[in-house]
Amino acid sequence: MVKSMSDFQPKIIALVCNWCTYTAADLAGTSRLGYPANIRMVRMMCTGMIDPKYILKAFLDGADGVFIGGCHPGDCHYINGNLKFRKRMPGMETIIKQFGFDENRLRLRWIGASEGPEFQHHITDFIQTIQEMGPSPAQGLMVL
Amino acid sequence: MSVYAMVKEKSLTEAVKTALTRLLSQDLVDAVLVAAKSPYSALPMPTLVAEASAMDGIDPLAPAAPFNAARQAATVSRQATGKRLALVLRPCEIRALIELVKLNQCTLENVVIIGIECLGRMENEVFLNHAAVHADMAAEFQKNTSLQDDITRTCKMCEQFTPTHADIVMSTLGAPENAVLFASGTETGEALLKELGLPTAENPAGSETVTRQLLEKRAACKKEVFAETSEKINSIEKFEQMIATCLNCYNCRQACPVCYCRECVFLTDVFAARPEALLRRAQKRGAVKLPTDTTMFHLTRLSHIAHSCVGCGQCSSVCPSNIPVADIFTTVAAQVQARYDYVPGRDVGEPIPYLMFEEKQKSGESK
Ligand code: SF4
Ligand code: SF4
Ligand code: FES
């Protein structure tokens, strides 16, 4: 049976920086700002430490989208980890796109520690985008 | 303006030998890294020659290159030794070497690069079959166009056969029979050519036309391979079909001159799955193929080196499963390099994109 669009519950992996987005997520939680429960959050010490293979692994293991949240430029605890990661984005987008993953399945946003509402907004928006796109082409596939 | 010199001898290889021997006998360099055959096989291997009398086997114009010799070049130039080295390299080898310099894996201090204007290489087996019939493969390759059609698939689509970053460019394009043309590419090269005292020459009249025709042919071939490959890997399912026979032997990684890590993550504990992890994966998905992470391996390698892939084709050459690894890598690399407006090996002063980040655009959008 073909699942209808609304049945589709996207699986989102969120790689988020400990110092900003993770704290913002916490704040959103304590402020009772709700967002869909589709995200699995992985706390990183900085976006600068996100190796491309974390993103690839998520997609090959069936993630429908990968969200990355880091400190605003100028606020990175390690000075420029976020800028280094930003530089990796075009390469990653190009690669996933060639292999049939819509490049919009990967998203980077800056979310500061105090930005609970922004966190809620960005996550909700991303989940909606993925919801509209449908499941990842790697879903249900035997990935060697 | 470049300085030109021409050396004509009984054969092409003799002409090269004359020039390179002088580098050593006139004490202009302490050693030359050059492809040379051993007493045991016609297949030329990168060889460090330190004595003029040991130049006998050199064969840099033979259409074979079992390695991208950038690796060997980086080994001998890992740190400055106070000795002066000449490295005789093909264009794709120089480009890879430049990438390794940018990664601080070697230094160009006291190094002279002699670049070969390259007509391509054959796969080892193809070369050895021809070499069993023709004693002088360098000469035969120059005049026999059917042999020229036997170069590797990746060489057939290579448009960068004129070396970048060479102090001296060594060429046969448009040169008379049994003659090799040397042109200076830098001031170092110019000084060296003058000191060598080789007969000066003009740039041969026909060479530009020959180069242009070759370029057109190569560009057409490249376009075709890219279009075909990009179609074959435009879904993860199709890509799985392409790599379904991969053995995880990692030969392609070993052969790649720009796979720069000293220790590959695929050989570390990160990917050494423990039995309980394997079972968990099998239970989650129903079944899991061993060894695992074949797709991860290729995509990770792509994400680590696509910007620096020099299109040497060695990854395809060494694959025991005949997977067209280089088709995949060059196709993706071209897109990534275009996205960053980056050409590997173009300029040693041009930083690797991932090592540079922009301070501007401090606030606002994250893309
Ligand atoms: S990926 Fe293949 S073609 Fe590209 S540099 Fe490495 S070995 Fe050469
Ligand atoms: S050389 Fe071929 S079989 Fe070996 S890992 Fe690379 S693609 Fe797989
Ligand atoms: S510390 Fe948050 S992105 Fe670097």
Side-chain angles (χ1 to χ4, degrees):
Chain A
M1 198 186 76
V2 182
K3 279 190 181 176
S4 78
M5 224 31 170
S6 53
D7 283 347
F8 166 54
Q9 286 300 327
K11 269 199 244 83
I12 311 274
I13 297 292
L15 304 171
V16 299
C17 166
N18 171 61
W19 304 103
C20 53
T21 312
Y22 190 78
T23 313
D26 222 19
L27 185 63
T30 51
S31 318
R32 305 198 178 277
L33 298 170
Y35 52 88
N38 305 64
I39 67 165
R40 320 276 198 279
M41 235 184 304
V42 183
R43 179 159 62 131
M44 317 291 294
M45 285 311 280
C46 174
T47 52
M49 67 168 289
I50 300 177
D51 188 291
K53 65 180 176 296
Y54 303 166
I55 298 166
L56 295 169
K57 180 81 181 159
F59 279 122
L60 293 180
D61 271 358
D64 298 300
V66 176
F67 182 92
I68 289 149
C71 304
H72 287 280
D75 291 348
C76 173
H77 268 55
Y78 309 95
I79 302 167
N80 50 30
N82 49 358
L83 305 181
K84 286 177 180 152
F85 181 76
R86 177 169 68 191
K87 198 66 195 272
R88 290 173 209 145
M89 278 293 282
M92 284 314 293
E93 288 167 354
T94 310
I95 291 171
I96 61 170
K97 189 173 168 200
Q98 169 63 71
F99 293 96
F101 298 93
D102 191 314
E103 60 180 8
N104 295 314
R105 289 187 185 274
L106 176 63
R107 184 178 285 181
L108 166 67
R109 287 293 178 264
W110 307 137
I111 304 171
S114 60
E115 300 180 328
E118 281 79 358
F119 176 82
Q120 179 194 37
H121 162 75
H122 286 308
I123 291 296
T124 317
D125 189 68
F126 187 55
I127 292 173
Q128 194 186 332
T129 308
I130 302 296
Q131 182 95 45
E132 282 158 17
M133 256 180 227
S136 148
Q139 280 295 348
L141 203 70
M142 174 165 187
V143 173
L144 300 174
Chain B
M1 258 318 273
S2 294
V3 178
Y4 295 96
M6 193 165 75
V7 184
K8 196 168 154 49
E9 291 283 356
K10 291 195 308 293
S11 75
L12 267 184
T13 308
E14 284 302 321
V16 179
K17 212 174 287 177
T18 301
L20 296 186
T21 305
R22 280 202 199 181
L23 279 175
L24 285 177
S25 60
Q26 298 180 18
D27 279 333
L28 295 171
V29 302
D30 294 296
V32 184
L33 180 76
V34 57
K37 43 191 175 213
S38 67
Y40 317 108
S41 169
L43 194 66
M45 293 281 179
T47 308
L48 191 61
V49 183
E51 292 294 335
S53 60
M55 278 284 174
D56 270 356
I58 69 152
D59 206 0
L61 297 180
F67 302 105
N68 180 307
R71 267 292 165 73
Q72 285 70 35
T75 306
V76 297
S77 61
R78 189 148 161 186
Q79 63 270 86
T81 53
K83 304 277 185 202
R84 199 174 196 211
L85 293 176
L87 310 175
V88 182
L89 298 171
R90 291 171 191 271
C92 57
E93 299 173 327
I94 300 176
R95 293 197 299 277
L97 184 69
I98 296 299
E99 294 302 286
L100 296 176
V101 172
K102 293 177 190 174
L103 292 160
N104 293 325
Q105 297 204 348
C106 57
T107 167
L108 293 182
E109 207 181 306
N110 248 341
V111 164
V112 183
I113 297 179
I114 301 179
I116 301 169
E117 191 147 50
C118 178
L119 293 177
R121 66 173 174 95
M122 297 173 179
E123 300 296 1
N124 298 345
E125 201 186 336
V126 176
F127 174 82
L128 286 171
N129 284 340
H130 285 305
V133 187
H134 306 289
D136 186 347
M137 275 298 282
E140 197 61 30
F141 186 58
Q142 289 291 325
K143 50 181 190 240
N144 188 336
T145 48
S146 79
L147 280 195
Q148 290 170 13
D149 288 338
D150 268 354
I151 57 174
T152 70
R153 179 172 162 89
T154 316
C155 291
K156 282 184 184 161
M157 56 182 255
C158 171
E159 296 173 284
Q160 296 170 288
F161 49 81
T162 301
T164 52
H165 267 283
D167 295 298
I168 296 175
V169 175
M170 187 158 94
S171 175
T172 54
L173 282 183
E177 206 185 337
N178 297 335
V180 177
L181 190 80
F182 296 89
S184 66
T186 63
E187 274 170 29
T188 311
E190 189 177 323
L192 211 57
L193 271 186
K194 285 182 182 152
E195 278 177 284
L196 276 173
L198 300 170
T200 53
E202 295 291 311
N203 196 15
S207 73
E208 270 171 33
T209 326
V210 186
T211 311
R212 187 160 25 79
Q213 283 167 350
L214 193 55
L215 259 180
E216 279 166 15
K217 197 168 147 191
R218 298 281 180 87
C221 176
K222 182 166 165 174
K223 211 173 143 197
E224 212 172 291
V225 172
F226 281 4
E228 192 186 298
T229 309
S230 150
E231 213 275 320
K232 276 193 203 155
I233 57 171
N234 65 8
S235 83
I236 197 74
E237 191 168 11
K238 288 194 201 166
F239 181 59
E240 295 298 337
Q241 283 167 23
M242 266 186 107
I243 59 161
T245 54
C246 174
L247 311 172
N248 287 40
C249 70
Y250 306 149
N251 275 1
C252 47
R253 183 215 57 199
Q254 191 64 25
C256 179
V258 295
C259 232
Y260 49 81
C261 293
R262 297 245 192 258
E263 188 186 24
C264 177
V265 67
F266 285 90
L267 298 183
T268 65
D269 285 348
V270 175
F271 286 97
R274 284 164 294 114
E276 55 276 27
L278 284 175
L279 278 168
R280 215 179 320 116
R281 265 163 101 165
Q283 275 160 354
K284 202 174 133 212
R285 302 197 205 157
V288 59
K289 188 224 69 160
L290 302 178
T292 59
D293 297 302
T294 310
T295 313
M296 262 307 275
F297 165 67
H298 289 288
L299 294 189
T300 300
R301 210 168 82 75
L302 264 174
S303 70
H304 284 180
I305 60 108
H307 58 280
S308 285
C309 167
V310 295
C312 65
Q314 294 288 356
C315 47
S316 281
S317 294
V318 297
C319 179
S321 291
N322 290 322
I323 296 168
V325 191
D327 287 8
I328 300 167
F329 274 67
T330 54
T331 299
V332 178
Q335 298 170 41
V336 171
Q337 291 168 13
R339 190 91 181 244
Y340 287 105
D341 189 19
Y342 181 74
V343 179
R346 173 165 61 184
D347 179 0
V348 72
E350 180 182 20
I352 286 180
Y354 297 140
L355 301 182
M356 277 292 288
F357 49 89
E358 282 78 36
E359 296 282 356
K360 62 178 186 329
Q361 214 188 344
K362 277 262 184 201
S363 58
E365 266 318 283
S366 39
K367 275 171 85 176

